[in-house]
Amino acid sequence: MSRALAIYPGSFDPVTFGHLDIIERAATLFENIIVAIGVHPTKHPLFSATERIELIEQVVRHLPNITVEAFDGLLIEYCAEKKASMIVRGLRVTTDFEYELQIAHANADIRPEIDTIFLPSRTKHGFLSASLVREIASHGGDVTRYAPPLVCDALVKKLAITTKKP
Ligand code: COA
């Protein structure tokens, strides 16, 4: 198995401790990791791709082998373009596995030379999702257990702007 470059893709809207756990563990398995933010023309994320890149860059500062980028189009073609040998995905619950297995099979069908590796999320992060964190924060709840402090600060600021009454 080539350990040179793996891609960890996701929406990261915003990055949480669950994502960070996967990034930190993947960083010990591969020489280099690109955290790749998928940009969908039809999705309306809370944070722009540029903001999400900046947030992730700041929370992975302690890891020298991580870069952060955005991509559009098919993930597997982006991986080929980057000459990555592996896609990393985190699994929280069995429904994640069912979904991820189908995607992994489809990606392998398109480019069998690029494989997918699954890392189980730690149990304490099993229920976490970016939308859950956004939802709690949008009602003024405390999300400091779920996301790094600078992400929590960015959420408070962003939600103050987006929920501002005219
Ligand atoms: N800890 C905490 N939360 C996690 C997590 C972890 N370890 N792993 C996933 N999640 C959460 C995310 O926060 C996200 O939450 P949300 O739905 O509330 O926002 C949710 O699980 C989905 O995970 P994410 O990793 O963002 O994946 P996604 O299903 O949104 O897919 C791409 C994002 C970019 C990987 C995907 O859209 C993609 O590959 N797009 C390109 C097109 C393509 O190639 N499609 C496949 C064709 S075969």
Side-chain angles (χ1 to χ4, degrees):
M1 175 175 99
S2 165
R3 291 161 51 94
L5 177 63
I7 306 275
Y8 177 43
S11 304
F12 306 107
D13 187 34
V15 62
T16 68
F17 281 136
H19 299 126
L20 192 54
D21 168 55
I22 300 290
I23 295 169
E24 286 174 340
R25 287 157 59 204
T28 68
L29 298 173
F30 297 95
E31 285 167 25
N32 293 291
I33 308 275
I34 298 177
V35 177
I37 299 171
V39 177
H40 302 258
T42 54
K43 275 197 181 177
H44 302 288
L46 181 63
F47 291 98
S48 70
T50 307
E51 289 168 333
R52 284 177 279 165
I53 289 174
E54 282 170 7
L55 287 175
I56 301 170
E57 281 177 343
Q58 291 180 68
V59 301
V60 301
R61 240 180 215 159
H62 59 297
L63 302 168
N65 57 342
I66 310 287
T67 52
V68 190
E69 294 185 356
F71 75 97
D72 56 15
L74 277 183
L75 168 65
I76 196 72
E77 297 305 343
Y78 168 75
C79 293
E81 188 189 306
K82 292 286 161 183
K83 302 195 184 338
S85 56
M86 198 68 69
I87 297 167
V88 176
R89 293 288 285 166
L91 293 179
R92 294 161 299 172
V93 288
T94 49
T95 45
D96 277 355
F97 178 70
E98 282 174 26
Y99 173 74
E100 293 296 337
L101 192 62
Q102 185 189 26
I103 301 291
H105 283 155
N107 283 334
D109 196 56
I110 300 168
R111 286 192 179 266
E113 70 279 13
I114 301 172
D115 217 329
T116 300
I117 185 168
F118 297 125
L119 293 179
S121 72
R122 299 300 189 208
T123 43
K124 63 181 174 183
H125 301 132
F127 65 95
L128 262 187
S129 72
S131 51
L132 186 85
V133 172
R134 290 197 306 272
E135 170 78 4
I136 295 170
S138 73
H139 294 286
D142 176 16
V143 290
T144 54
R145 288 197 306 288
Y146 312 136
L150 67 94
V151 175
C152 297
D153 290 348
L155 266 169
V156 170
K157 283 189 195 131
K158 176 65 80 175
L159 289 165
I161 296 166
T162 54
T163 57
K164 209 171 180 174
K165 294 200 174 69

